[in-house]
Amino acid sequence: MGTVITWWGHATCTVEDSGVRVLTDPVFVRRLAHLRRRRGQVPPPQASVADAVLVSHLHSDHLHLRSLTRLAPGTRLIVPRGAERSVPGLRRLDARRNPSGLRITEVEPGDEVEIGPVRVRAVPARHDGRRLPVGPHRSPALGFVISGASRTYFAGDTGLFDGMADAVGPVDVALLPVGGWGPHLGPEHLDAGRAAQALAELAPSAAVPVHFGTYWPIGLDGVRPHEFYAPGDEFVRHAARLAPKVSVHLLRHGESVRPEAGL
C-alpha cells in the first residue's frame, strides 16, 4: 500500500503508513489570534482522525489547544518535554486528569514512541520552542522521523543547523517548511532556498513543502504578498538545482500523494 501524505495547510499533515495515521501540528481554525487563513478550506472532520498526533513545539500555530479538542478521546499526543508545565491548558486535556482526554507523552531528541507497527523518533530542531510571547525556555523544538514502510521526516519549524543530516538520519520522504505566516523569516526558519539546502543534505527520495501559503496576518494582505504565494514554487525551483534527484510534490490544500509512486 505504501505511505500516503496529505497536506491540510500550514504544518498540518497526515502521514498514513502501515495502517497507522499520524497527524502533525493540527490547526483546524480559520482565524488564529492575528492570523487569518487566506487559502484553502479549514480541514474537514476526517483530518482529525489519527492514531497519534505529533506537536513539534509550543507556538500556538503548532500547539493549538482548540484544535486538539477535535481529536477523539484516547488519541496519543506526542509533545516536547515540559509542554504540560508550560501550557496549563494542555494539562486539562490529559487523560490522567480528564477521562475523555488525550494520552499525552512528552519526548526530547532521541526518544522513540511505538504506535503499532510504526516508530516515531524525536530529532532536534533549531527553533525557539517556548510558548510565546513570554513562556520560559523549558521545552525543545523538535522534528520527528516516522518509520514504518517508509521513513518520513517532519521537520516542524527549524533553521539549518550543523549535523542536521546526521541527527535526522536516512529518510525516504521529507516534509519541510518553506515559508511562514509573515513577511520576514529569521535564521530559525527555513525559507525556500534554505529548505532546498536542507533537502540536498538530507537526500531523501521525495519531499513535500509545507508551512506556507495558508495563514497571514490580518491587515497585511498587501505587504510583500510574494512571501505568501511564492514559497512553494520557489522551493521546487531551488530543489531542482540543489537536489535534482529528489522528487518534489507541491500539493494543494487537502491533496494527497503516495511519494514512492509519484501519485
Side-chain angles (χ1 to χ4, degrees):
M1 180 179 177
T3 301
V4 178
I5 309 293
T6 304
W7 182 50
W8 302 109
H10 202 52
T12 306
C13 303
T14 295
V15 179
E16 300 176 72
D17 190 326
S18 304
V20 174
R21 288 173 61 95
V22 178
L23 178 65
T24 66
D25 288 352
V27 179
F28 297 144
V29 291
R30 181 160 297 283
R31 179 172 174 176
L32 172 64
H34 65 299
L35 305 178
R36 181 181 64 211
R37 191 177 182 108
R38 290 192 59 205
R39 182 185 276 178
Q41 298 298 314
V42 173
Q46 62 262 34
S48 64
V49 177
D51 299 291
V53 177
L54 311 180
V55 171
S56 62
H57 61 290
L58 306 189
H59 294 175
S60 58
D61 60 321
H62 293 259
L63 195 170
H64 186 250
L65 292 171
R66 184 150 60 95
S67 294
L68 294 179
T69 64
R70 281 182 49 176
L71 302 174
T75 300
R76 173 72 66 87
L77 179 65
I78 301 171
V79 298
R81 171 186 45 78
E84 287 198 68
R85 186 169 55 152
S86 297
V87 185
L90 194 57
R91 302 174 206 166
R92 294 192 288 272
L93 296 178
D94 193 326
R96 289 169 292 190
R97 299 177 175 87
N98 177 358
S100 61
L102 309 173
R103 293 183 297 137
I104 299 177
T105 301
E106 295 190 349
V107 296
E108 59 186 5
D111 289 345
E112 295 188 354
V113 179
E114 291 187 357
I115 303 106
V118 167
R119 185 176 71 256
V120 173
R121 175 170 55 91
V123 299
R126 182 191 176 193
H127 195 68
D128 183 347
R130 61 183 167 162
R131 188 70 162 180
L132 296 177
V134 295
H137 287 277
R138 288 175 175 164
S139 297
L142 302 173
F144 296 95
V145 177
I146 304 160
S147 297
S150 301
R151 294 161 298 187
T152 301
Y153 170 47
F154 169 64
D157 244 353
T158 187
L160 290 169
F161 58 91
D162 291 340
M164 186 178 193
D166 289 337
V168 172
V171 292
D172 302 299
V173 184
L175 311 181
L176 295 178
V178 301
W181 51 254
H184 302 288
L185 288 175
E188 292 191 344
H189 295 82
L190 295 178
D191 60 14
R194 292 193 292 268
Q197 292 178 47
L199 191 65
E201 293 184 25
L202 295 165
S205 299
V208 176
V210 302
H211 205 283
F212 75 99
T214 307
Y215 290 99
W216 201 248
I218 294 169
L220 293 184
D221 290 9
V223 178
R224 296 177 64 83
H226 173 83
E227 300 292 343
F228 178 83
Y229 290 104
D233 291 325
E234 289 187 348
F235 175 70
V236 171
R237 178 169 55 84
H238 288 299
R241 177 173 56 88
L242 297 177
K245 295 183 179 180
V246 181
S247 298
V248 177
H249 303 279
L250 183 60
L251 302 181
R252 295 184 294 270
H253 292 83
E255 191 171 22
S256 301
V257 66
R258 185 174 290 113
E260 67 272 19
L263 301 173

